[in-house]
Amino acid sequence: MGAATIVEARSMTVPLLEIQGLSKTFALKGGRSIRAVDGVSFVQRKGETIGIVGESGCGKSTLGRLILRLIEPTAGDVRFLGKDITLLPAEAMRAMRRHMQMIFQDPYTSLDPRMRVGSLIEEPLVIHGLGTPGERTREVARLLDTVGLPAEAAGRYPHEFSGGQRQRICIARALALHPQLIVADEPVSALDVSIQSQVLNLLMDLKREHGLSYLFISHNLAVVKYVSDTIAVMYLGRIVEMGSTGSIYADPKHPYTQALLAAIPEPDPERARDRVPLQGELPSPEHPPAGCPFHPRCPRAMDRCRSEVPQPLERGTKEHPHRVACHLYD
Protein backbone atom coordinates (compact mmCIF):
# COMPACT_ATOMS: atom_id res chain seq x y z
CA MET A 1 0.00 0.00 0.00
CA GLY A 2 1.47 3.37 -1.04
CA ALA A 3 1.84 6.41 1.22
CA ALA A 4 -1.12 8.22 -0.38
CA THR A 5 -3.34 5.15 0.08
CA ILE A 6 -2.33 4.86 3.74
CA VAL A 7 -3.26 8.51 4.31
CA GLU A 8 -6.65 7.98 2.62
CA ALA A 9 -7.33 4.90 4.74
CA ARG A 10 -6.52 6.74 7.96
CA SER A 11 -8.74 9.65 6.99
CA MET A 12 -11.77 7.34 7.05
CA THR A 13 -11.26 6.27 10.67
CA VAL A 14 -9.69 9.19 12.55
CA PRO A 15 -10.27 12.96 12.69
CA LEU A 16 -8.38 14.97 10.11
CA LEU A 17 -6.81 17.24 12.71
CA GLU A 18 -6.50 17.05 16.49
CA ILE A 19 -4.95 19.96 18.38
CA GLN A 20 -4.22 19.48 22.08
CA GLY A 21 -2.76 22.14 24.40
CA LEU A 22 -0.96 23.95 21.59
CA SER A 23 1.12 26.89 22.82
CA LYS A 24 3.80 29.20 21.47
CA THR A 25 5.99 31.55 23.47
CA PHE A 26 8.34 33.95 21.68
CA ALA A 27 11.47 35.08 23.53
CA LEU A 28 12.23 38.81 23.50
CA LYS A 29 15.29 40.79 24.47
CA GLY A 30 16.06 41.27 28.12
CA GLY A 31 14.57 37.96 29.19
CA ARG A 32 11.04 39.02 28.29
CA SER A 33 8.61 36.81 26.41
CA ILE A 34 5.23 36.80 24.65
CA ARG A 35 2.82 33.88 24.71
CA ALA A 36 1.12 34.23 21.33
CA VAL A 37 -0.89 30.99 21.52
CA ASP A 38 -1.95 29.59 24.89
CA GLY A 39 -3.27 26.06 25.28
CA VAL A 40 -5.45 25.78 22.16
CA SER A 41 -7.33 22.49 21.69
CA PHE A 42 -9.89 21.41 19.07
CA VAL A 43 -10.74 18.63 16.61
CA GLN A 44 -11.42 19.08 12.90
CA ARG A 45 -13.27 16.48 10.82
CA LYS A 46 -12.50 15.69 7.21
CA GLY A 47 -14.41 18.04 4.90
CA GLU A 48 -15.05 20.57 7.68
CA THR A 49 -14.21 24.26 7.48
CA ILE A 50 -13.26 25.86 10.80
CA GLY A 51 -13.20 29.64 10.91
CA ILE A 52 -10.78 31.30 13.36
CA VAL A 53 -11.84 34.85 14.25
CA GLY A 54 -10.61 37.56 16.58
CA GLU A 55 -8.98 40.96 16.69
CA SER A 56 -5.55 41.62 15.22
CA GLY A 57 -2.89 40.34 17.58
CA CYS A 58 -5.00 37.56 19.10
CA GLY A 59 -2.75 34.79 17.71
CA LYS A 60 -4.80 33.58 14.71
CA SER A 61 -1.99 33.58 12.17
CA THR A 62 0.50 32.12 14.64
CA LEU A 63 -1.92 29.27 15.29
CA GLY A 64 -2.15 28.51 11.57
CA ARG A 65 1.61 28.42 11.20
CA LEU A 66 1.97 26.20 14.27
CA ILE A 67 -0.46 23.67 12.85
CA LEU A 68 1.64 23.39 9.67
CA ARG A 69 4.88 23.49 11.67
CA LEU A 70 6.09 26.54 9.81
CA ILE A 71 7.07 27.59 13.33
CA GLU A 72 7.77 25.14 16.13
CA PRO A 73 5.36 24.97 19.10
CA THR A 74 6.53 25.52 22.65
CA ALA A 75 4.10 22.88 23.93
CA GLY A 76 1.20 20.75 22.79
CA ASP A 77 0.39 18.22 20.08
CA VAL A 78 -0.74 18.53 16.47
CA ARG A 79 -2.11 15.25 15.13
CA PHE A 80 -2.85 14.98 11.44
CA LEU A 81 -4.76 11.79 10.59
CA GLY A 82 -3.72 10.37 13.95
CA LYS A 83 0.00 11.10 13.59
CA ASP A 84 1.69 13.65 15.88
CA ILE A 85 3.53 15.82 13.35
CA THR A 86 5.35 17.75 16.08
CA LEU A 87 7.52 14.62 16.55
CA LEU A 88 8.31 14.03 12.87
CA PRO A 89 11.90 14.47 11.63
CA ALA A 90 12.49 16.91 8.78
CA GLU A 91 12.28 14.40 5.92
CA ALA A 92 9.04 12.83 7.21
CA MET A 93 7.55 16.30 7.78
CA ARG A 94 8.45 17.25 4.23
CA ALA A 95 6.47 14.27 2.92
CA MET A 96 3.54 15.16 5.21
CA ARG A 97 3.38 18.66 3.73
CA ARG A 98 1.93 17.15 0.56
CA HIS A 99 -1.31 16.83 2.51
CA MET A 100 -1.19 20.23 4.29
CA GLN A 101 -0.84 23.53 2.43
CA MET A 102 -1.27 27.24 3.13
CA ILE A 103 -2.69 30.27 1.35
CA PHE A 104 -1.12 33.47 2.66
CA GLN A 105 -2.74 36.86 3.17
CA ASP A 106 -0.77 38.89 0.61
CA PRO A 107 -0.79 37.19 -2.80
CA TYR A 108 2.02 39.40 -4.09
CA THR A 109 4.67 38.94 -1.40
CA SER A 110 3.99 35.18 -1.23
CA LEU A 111 4.97 34.77 -4.90
CA ASP A 112 8.59 35.09 -6.08
CA PRO A 113 8.51 38.05 -8.52
CA ARG A 114 11.46 36.60 -10.49
CA MET A 115 9.67 33.35 -11.34
CA ARG A 116 7.07 32.82 -14.04
CA VAL A 117 3.65 31.64 -12.91
CA GLY A 118 4.12 28.21 -14.48
CA SER A 119 7.32 27.66 -12.51
CA LEU A 120 5.69 28.87 -9.29
CA ILE A 121 2.85 26.37 -9.61
CA GLU A 122 5.16 23.58 -10.77
CA GLU A 123 7.68 24.08 -7.95
CA PRO A 124 5.86 21.91 -5.35
CA LEU A 125 5.71 19.07 -7.88
CA VAL A 126 9.44 19.40 -8.57
CA ILE A 127 10.31 19.48 -4.86
CA HIS A 128 8.36 16.28 -4.22
CA GLY A 129 9.61 14.58 -7.38
CA LEU A 130 6.17 14.15 -8.94
CA GLY A 131 5.72 13.57 -12.68
CA THR A 132 7.84 14.08 -15.77
CA PRO A 133 8.44 17.60 -17.14
CA GLY A 134 5.68 17.05 -19.71
CA GLU A 135 3.24 15.78 -17.08
CA ARG A 136 3.99 18.73 -14.83
CA THR A 137 3.40 21.19 -17.68
CA ARG A 138 -0.01 19.63 -18.34
CA GLU A 139 -0.80 19.68 -14.63
CA VAL A 140 0.04 23.39 -14.42
CA ALA A 141 -2.35 24.10 -17.29
CA ARG A 142 -5.05 22.05 -15.56
CA LEU A 143 -4.57 23.89 -12.26
CA LEU A 144 -4.73 27.28 -13.98
CA ASP A 145 -7.98 26.24 -15.62
CA THR A 146 -9.29 25.03 -12.24
CA VAL A 147 -8.83 28.49 -10.71
CA GLY A 148 -10.19 30.32 -13.76
CA LEU A 149 -6.99 31.47 -15.45
CA PRO A 150 -5.92 30.80 -19.07
CA ALA A 151 -3.07 28.39 -19.82
CA GLU A 152 -0.95 31.21 -21.30
CA ALA A 153 -0.78 32.76 -17.82
CA ALA A 154 1.98 30.22 -17.11
CA GLY A 155 4.45 32.27 -19.13
CA ARG A 156 3.85 35.56 -17.33
CA TYR A 157 5.19 37.05 -14.08
CA PRO A 158 3.15 37.79 -10.91
CA HIS A 159 3.32 41.57 -11.33
CA GLU A 160 1.38 41.26 -14.61
CA PHE A 161 -1.75 40.14 -12.75
CA SER A 162 -4.33 41.85 -10.55
CA GLY A 163 -4.59 41.08 -6.84
CA GLY A 164 -7.47 38.68 -7.33
CA GLN A 165 -5.65 36.86 -10.13
CA ARG A 166 -2.52 36.57 -8.00
CA GLN A 167 -4.54 35.00 -5.21
CA ARG A 168 -5.91 32.51 -7.75
CA ILE A 169 -2.32 31.64 -8.61
CA CYS A 170 -1.59 31.07 -4.92
CA ILE A 171 -4.64 28.80 -4.70
CA ALA A 172 -3.48 26.82 -7.75
CA ARG A 173 -0.07 26.42 -6.16
CA ALA A 174 -1.65 25.19 -2.91
CA LEU A 175 -3.73 22.65 -4.86
CA ALA A 176 -0.77 21.26 -6.82
CA LEU A 177 -0.05 18.45 -4.34
CA HIS A 178 -3.73 17.51 -3.83
CA PRO A 179 -3.77 18.39 -0.09
CA GLN A 180 -6.50 17.41 2.34
CA LEU A 181 -6.09 20.46 4.59
CA ILE A 182 -5.55 24.08 3.52
CA VAL A 183 -4.84 26.80 6.07
CA ALA A 184 -6.13 30.03 4.55
CA ASP A 185 -4.71 33.03 6.41
CA GLU A 186 -6.85 36.09 5.63
CA PRO A 187 -6.98 35.02 1.95
CA VAL A 188 -9.28 37.84 0.79
CA SER A 189 -8.48 40.71 3.17
CA ALA A 190 -5.98 42.28 0.72
CA LEU A 191 -8.49 42.21 -2.16
CA ASP A 192 -11.16 44.65 -3.29
CA VAL A 193 -14.63 43.84 -1.99
CA SER A 194 -15.85 43.12 -5.53
CA ILE A 195 -13.11 40.49 -5.95
CA GLN A 196 -13.46 38.94 -2.49
CA SER A 197 -16.73 37.19 -3.34
CA GLN A 198 -15.22 35.68 -6.49
CA VAL A 199 -12.29 34.19 -4.58
CA LEU A 200 -14.55 32.96 -1.75
CA ASN A 201 -16.88 31.27 -4.23
CA LEU A 202 -13.87 29.65 -5.88
CA LEU A 203 -12.70 28.28 -2.52
CA MET A 204 -16.17 26.91 -1.78
CA ASP A 205 -16.38 25.27 -5.23
CA LEU A 206 -12.95 23.68 -4.77
CA LYS A 207 -13.99 22.34 -1.38
CA ARG A 208 -16.97 20.54 -2.90
CA GLU A 209 -15.08 19.27 -5.93
CA HIS A 210 -11.94 18.08 -4.16
CA GLY A 211 -13.20 17.23 -0.68
CA LEU A 212 -10.98 19.85 0.93
CA SER A 213 -10.93 20.92 4.56
CA TYR A 214 -10.12 24.54 5.41
CA LEU A 215 -8.82 26.28 8.50
CA PHE A 216 -10.02 29.75 7.55
CA ILE A 217 -8.41 32.62 9.47
CA SER A 218 -10.09 36.02 9.27
CA HIS A 219 -11.15 39.07 11.25
CA ASN A 220 -14.19 39.51 8.97
CA LEU A 221 -17.15 37.84 10.66
CA ALA A 222 -19.35 38.04 7.57
CA VAL A 223 -16.74 36.17 5.52
CA VAL A 224 -16.27 33.54 8.22
CA LYS A 225 -20.04 32.99 8.47
CA TYR A 226 -20.22 32.41 4.71
CA VAL A 227 -17.48 29.77 4.47
CA SER A 228 -17.37 28.03 7.87
CA ASP A 229 -19.09 25.01 9.37
CA THR A 230 -17.59 25.72 12.81
CA ILE A 231 -16.31 28.96 14.32
CA ALA A 232 -13.62 29.38 16.98
CA VAL A 233 -13.31 32.81 18.62
CA MET A 234 -9.80 33.68 19.81
CA TYR A 235 -8.80 36.27 22.38
CA LEU A 236 -5.23 36.86 23.53
CA GLY A 237 -4.00 33.48 22.34
CA ARG A 238 -6.92 31.41 23.67
CA ILE A 239 -10.12 30.04 22.18
CA VAL A 240 -12.87 31.55 24.31
CA GLU A 241 -15.82 30.10 22.39
CA MET A 242 -16.27 27.44 19.72
CA GLY A 243 -19.35 25.96 18.11
CA SER A 244 -21.25 25.47 14.88
CA THR A 245 -21.68 28.58 12.79
CA GLY A 246 -25.44 28.50 13.39
CA SER A 247 -25.13 28.28 17.16
CA ILE A 248 -22.43 30.96 17.40
CA TYR A 249 -24.52 33.46 15.43
CA ALA A 250 -27.89 32.51 16.94
CA ASP A 251 -26.77 32.18 20.56
CA PRO A 252 -23.31 33.67 21.26
CA LYS A 253 -22.43 33.00 24.88
CA HIS A 254 -19.11 34.70 25.60
CA PRO A 255 -19.33 38.49 26.11
CA TYR A 256 -16.47 38.93 23.63
CA THR A 257 -18.30 36.99 20.92
CA GLN A 258 -21.44 38.98 21.65
CA ALA A 259 -19.52 42.23 21.24
CA LEU A 260 -17.94 41.12 17.96
CA LEU A 261 -21.30 40.13 16.48
CA ALA A 262 -22.98 43.30 17.71
CA ALA A 263 -20.33 45.37 15.91
CA ILE A 264 -21.25 43.95 12.47
CA PRO A 265 -22.86 46.76 10.42
CA GLU A 266 -26.61 46.37 9.99
CA PRO A 267 -27.73 47.07 6.38
CA ASP A 268 -31.28 47.91 7.51
CA PRO A 269 -31.21 51.37 9.20
CA GLU A 270 -34.65 50.81 10.76
CA ARG A 271 -33.69 47.55 12.43
CA ALA A 272 -32.64 48.10 16.02
CA ARG A 273 -29.65 46.24 17.42
CA ASP A 274 -28.54 45.84 21.00
CA ARG A 275 -24.97 47.03 21.24
CA VAL A 276 -22.62 45.30 23.67
CA PRO A 277 -20.15 47.78 25.17
CA LEU A 278 -16.53 46.83 24.59
CA GLN A 279 -14.03 49.11 26.27
CA GLY A 280 -10.31 49.60 25.72
CA GLU A 281 -7.84 47.82 23.46
CA LEU A 282 -6.57 44.27 23.27
CA PRO A 283 -4.02 43.92 26.12
CA SER A 284 -0.38 43.28 25.29
CA PRO A 285 0.42 39.55 25.21
CA GLU A 286 3.66 40.48 26.96
CA HIS A 287 1.68 41.59 30.03
CA PRO A 288 -1.59 39.63 29.97
CA PRO A 289 -4.13 40.35 32.72
CA ALA A 290 -4.50 37.94 35.62
CA GLY A 291 -7.52 35.67 35.65
CA CYS A 292 -9.74 35.81 32.59
CA PRO A 293 -7.80 37.67 29.89
CA PHE A 294 -10.97 39.46 28.77
CA HIS A 295 -12.06 40.78 32.17
CA PRO A 296 -10.58 44.33 31.84
CA ARG A 297 -12.90 44.93 28.85
CA CYS A 298 -15.87 42.80 29.89
CA PRO A 299 -19.11 44.59 30.91
CA ARG A 300 -20.13 41.54 32.99
CA ALA A 301 -16.85 40.87 34.82
CA MET A 302 -17.06 39.53 38.38
CA ASP A 303 -14.46 39.38 41.15
CA ARG A 304 -13.73 35.77 40.24
CA CYS A 305 -12.86 36.83 36.68
CA ARG A 306 -9.98 38.96 37.96
CA SER A 307 -8.16 36.07 39.62
CA GLU A 308 -9.25 32.75 38.07
CA VAL A 309 -8.77 31.63 34.47
CA PRO A 310 -12.06 30.13 33.17
CA GLN A 311 -11.91 26.60 31.80
CA PRO A 312 -13.76 25.48 28.64
CA LEU A 313 -17.30 24.24 29.37
CA GLU A 314 -19.60 22.30 27.06
CA ARG A 315 -22.91 24.10 26.66
CA GLY A 316 -24.25 22.47 23.51
CA THR A 317 -25.44 18.98 22.58
CA LYS A 318 -23.70 15.92 21.19
CA GLU A 319 -25.04 16.74 17.74
CA HIS A 320 -24.29 20.48 18.08
CA PRO A 321 -21.36 20.98 20.50
CA HIS A 322 -20.81 24.49 21.80
CA ARG A 323 -17.85 25.23 24.06
CA VAL A 324 -17.30 28.44 26.03
CA ALA A 325 -14.64 29.53 28.53
CA CYS A 326 -16.47 31.97 30.79
CA HIS A 327 -17.33 32.03 34.52
CA LEU A 328 -20.85 33.15 33.68
CA TYR A 329 -21.63 29.53 32.77
CA ASP A 330 -19.69 27.81 35.54
Side-chain angles (χ1 to χ4, degrees):
M1 183 180 290
T5 307
I6 292 173
V7 170
E8 290 172 2
R10 283 181 183 154
S11 67
M12 298 174 64
T13 58
V14 299
L16 179 73
L17 191 65
E18 297 175 89
I19 310 299
Q20 184 62 46
L22 194 61
S23 299
K24 179 61 181 180
T25 300
F26 292 101
L28 304 176
K29 294 181 179 179
R32 297 176 296 123
S33 64
I34 287 179
R35 176 160 284 194
V37 175
D38 189 2
V40 168
S41 300
F42 64 85
V43 175
Q44 182 172 9
R45 304 181 306 274
K46 182 174 174 58
E48 182 182 18
T49 296
I50 294 182
I52 309 291
V53 299
E55 294 170 280
S56 297
C58 72
K60 305 186 300 294
S61 295
T62 302
L63 175 61
R65 286 163 171 76
L66 286 172
I67 289 171
L68 297 186
R69 260 189 78 182
L70 298 179
I71 55 178
E72 296 293 335
T74 303
D77 301 328
V78 178
R79 293 186 176 274
F80 183 76
L81 295 176
K83 178 173 287 188
D84 189 351
I85 67 171
T86 60
L87 303 177
L88 293 181
E91 191 62 29
M93 188 63 218
R94 179 181 177 182
M96 184 63 75
R97 291 195 194 284
R98 286 185 58 179
H99 310 288
M100 313 166 71
Q101 291 292 304
M102 188 163 193
I103 301 171
F104 294 93
Q105 178 176 358
D106 189 340
Y108 190 73
T109 57
S110 59
L111 297 172
D112 189 334
R114 298 167 297 180
M115 295 177 66
R116 296 182 189 272
V117 166
S119 298
L120 286 165
I121 298 174
E122 183 187 13
E123 187 176 35
L125 301 172
V126 174
I127 290 173
H128 288 272
L130 301 176
T132 64
E135 290 170 339
R136 292 197 295 265
T137 298
R138 289 190 291 273
E139 180 66 4
V140 168
R142 186 192 69 81
L143 288 166
L144 285 170
D145 180 67
T146 297
V147 299
L149 293 174
E152 54 267 26
R156 296 160 62 186
Y157 290 94
H159 73 269
E160 300 179 66
F161 296 88
S162 67
Q165 290 172 324
R166 284 196 292 264
Q167 195 61 291
R168 290 173 184 265
I169 294 167
C170 293
I171 294 170
R173 180 180 167 96
L175 291 173
L177 296 173
H178 303 283
Q180 295 195 46
L181 173 67
I182 292 181
V183 176
D185 185 7
E186 300 272 12
V188 297
S189 65
L191 307 178
D192 293 339
V193 174
S194 60
I195 304 299
Q196 287 184 11
S197 60
Q198 297 177 21
V199 174
L200 289 173
N201 287 332
L202 172 62
L203 290 171
M204 297 296 286
D205 291 341
L206 292 172
K207 175 184 176 180
R208 288 189 292 268
E209 294 168 9
H210 299 275
L212 296 172
S213 302
Y214 293 127
L215 192 69
F216 196 97
I217 298 168
S218 179
H219 65 276
N220 189 324
L221 288 161
V223 168
V224 170
K225 181 181 181 181
Y226 179 68
V227 302
S228 301
D229 304 302
T230 301
I231 292 177
V233 181
M234 284 192 73
Y235 187 83
L236 215 62
R238 302 184 183 196
I239 291 181
V240 297
E241 186 167 4
M242 186 169 185
S244 68
T245 300
S247 67
I248 291 290
Y249 275 79
D251 186 23
K253 299 185 181 301
H254 198 282
Y256 180 60
T257 309
Q258 294 168 2
L260 290 179
L261 294 177
I264 299 176
E266 174 55 61
D268 184 354
E270 297 183 359
R271 182 178 177 182
R273 168 175 284 179
D274 293 331
R275 293 289 177 178
V276 178
L278 185 59
Q279 302 175 349
E281 300 291 334
L282 187 73
S284 168
E286 186 180 350
H287 303 290
C292 174
F294 184 62
H295 86 260
R297 306 172 69 189
C298 181
R300 303 173 68 184
M302 305 175 289
D303 289 341
R304 183 182 181 188
C305 302
R306 298 175 178 87
S307 59
E308 185 178 340
V309 177
Q311 298 304 308
L313 302 168
E314 289 293 343
R315 284 297 177 267
T317 64
K318 184 177 181 180
E319 294 77 16
H320 302 285
H322 193 137
R323 189 175 70 191
V324 60
C326 180
H327 290 309
L328 292 171
Y329 304 94
D330 185 2

Short mmCIF file of all heavy atoms in Angstrom, two decimals, residues 23-25 65-66 69-75 85-86 97:
data_model
loop_
_atom_site.label_atom_id
_atom_site.label_comp_id
_atom_site.label_asym_id
_atom_site.label_seq_id
_atom_site.Cartn_x
_atom_site.Cartn_y
_atom_site.Cartn_z
N SER A 23 0.66 25.60 22.31
CA SER A 23 1.12 26.89 22.82
C SER A 23 2.39 27.32 22.10
O SER A 23 3.16 26.49 21.63
CB SER A 23 1.41 26.81 24.33
OG SER A 23 0.25 26.46 25.06
N LYS A 24 2.58 28.64 22.04
CA LYS A 24 3.80 29.20 21.47
C LYS A 24 4.20 30.44 22.24
O LYS A 24 3.43 31.40 22.37
CB LYS A 24 3.61 29.55 19.99
CG LYS A 24 4.86 30.16 19.35
CD LYS A 24 6.05 29.20 19.38
CE LYS A 24 7.29 29.82 18.76
NZ LYS A 24 8.44 28.88 18.77
N THR A 25 5.42 30.41 22.77
CA THR A 25 5.99 31.55 23.47
C THR A 25 7.20 32.05 22.70
O THR A 25 8.11 31.27 22.39
CB THR A 25 6.41 31.18 24.90
OG1 THR A 25 5.25 30.71 25.63
CG2 THR A 25 7.00 32.38 25.63
N ARG A 65 0.24 28.81 11.51
CA ARG A 65 1.61 28.42 11.20
C ARG A 65 2.10 27.30 12.12
O ARG A 65 2.90 26.45 11.72
CB ARG A 65 2.53 29.63 11.29
CG ARG A 65 2.37 30.58 10.11
CD ARG A 65 2.95 31.96 10.38
NE ARG A 65 2.98 32.78 9.18
CZ ARG A 65 1.92 33.37 8.63
NH1 ARG A 65 0.74 33.25 9.21
NH2 ARG A 65 2.05 34.10 7.54
N LEU A 66 1.63 27.29 13.36
CA LEU A 66 1.97 26.20 14.27
C LEU A 66 1.41 24.88 13.78
O LEU A 66 2.09 23.84 13.85
CB LEU A 66 1.44 26.50 15.68
CG LEU A 66 2.16 27.55 16.51
CD1 LEU A 66 1.37 27.85 17.77
CD2 LEU A 66 3.56 27.10 16.86
N ARG A 69 3.49 23.53 11.22
CA ARG A 69 4.88 23.49 11.67
C ARG A 69 5.80 24.39 10.85
O ARG A 69 6.96 24.09 10.62
CB ARG A 69 5.42 22.05 11.67
CG ARG A 69 5.42 21.42 13.06
CD ARG A 69 6.13 20.09 13.10
NE ARG A 69 7.59 20.26 13.11
CZ ARG A 69 8.45 19.23 13.11
NH1 ARG A 69 8.00 17.99 13.08
NH2 ARG A 69 9.74 19.44 13.12
N LEU A 70 5.25 25.51 10.40
CA LEU A 70 6.09 26.54 9.81
C LEU A 70 6.87 27.25 10.91
O LEU A 70 7.92 27.84 10.66
CB LEU A 70 5.24 27.55 9.03
CG LEU A 70 4.47 26.95 7.84
CD1 LEU A 70 3.65 28.04 7.16
CD2 LEU A 70 5.42 26.29 6.85
N ILE A 71 6.34 27.23 12.12
CA ILE A 71 7.07 27.59 13.33
C ILE A 71 6.86 26.46 14.33
O ILE A 71 5.84 25.78 14.31
CB ILE A 71 6.64 28.95 13.91
CG1 ILE A 71 5.13 28.98 14.16
CG2 ILE A 71 7.05 30.09 13.01
CD1 ILE A 71 4.64 30.27 14.77
N GLU A 72 7.82 26.26 15.19
CA GLU A 72 7.77 25.14 16.13
C GLU A 72 7.01 25.52 17.39
O GLU A 72 7.22 26.61 17.94
CB GLU A 72 9.18 24.69 16.50
CG GLU A 72 9.99 24.13 15.32
CD GLU A 72 9.42 22.83 14.81
OE1 GLU A 72 8.74 22.11 15.57
OE2 GLU A 72 9.64 22.53 13.62
N PRO A 73 6.11 24.67 17.87
CA PRO A 73 5.36 24.97 19.10
C PRO A 73 6.24 24.87 20.34
O PRO A 73 7.23 24.13 20.36
CB PRO A 73 4.27 23.90 19.11
CG PRO A 73 4.85 22.76 18.34
CD PRO A 73 5.71 23.38 17.29
N THR A 74 5.87 25.62 21.35
CA THR A 74 6.53 25.52 22.65
C THR A 74 6.01 24.32 23.42
O THR A 74 6.74 23.64 24.14
CB THR A 74 6.28 26.81 23.46
OG1 THR A 74 6.74 27.93 22.71
CG2 THR A 74 7.04 26.76 24.79
N ALA A 75 4.72 24.03 23.25
CA ALA A 75 4.10 22.88 23.93
C ALA A 75 2.87 22.46 23.14
O ALA A 75 2.35 23.21 22.32
CB ALA A 75 3.71 23.25 25.37
N ILE A 85 2.52 15.28 14.26
CA ILE A 85 3.53 15.82 13.35
C ILE A 85 4.59 16.65 14.07
O ILE A 85 5.64 16.94 13.49
CB ILE A 85 2.87 16.66 12.23
CG1 ILE A 85 2.23 17.93 12.81
CG2 ILE A 85 1.86 15.84 11.46
CD1 ILE A 85 1.76 18.90 11.74
N THR A 86 4.33 17.01 15.34
CA THR A 86 5.35 17.75 16.08
C THR A 86 6.56 16.88 16.38
O THR A 86 7.62 17.39 16.73
CB THR A 86 4.79 18.31 17.39
OG1 THR A 86 4.33 17.23 18.21
CG2 THR A 86 3.63 19.26 17.11
N ARG A 97 3.84 17.38 4.26
CA ARG A 97 3.38 18.66 3.73
C ARG A 97 2.62 18.52 2.42
O ARG A 97 1.92 19.45 2.00
CB ARG A 97 4.56 19.61 3.55
CG ARG A 97 5.18 20.07 4.85
CD ARG A 97 6.09 21.26 4.65
NE ARG A 97 6.93 21.49 5.83
CZ ARG A 97 6.49 22.05 6.95
NH1 ARG A 97 5.24 22.44 7.04
NH2 ARG A 97 7.32 22.22 7.96
#
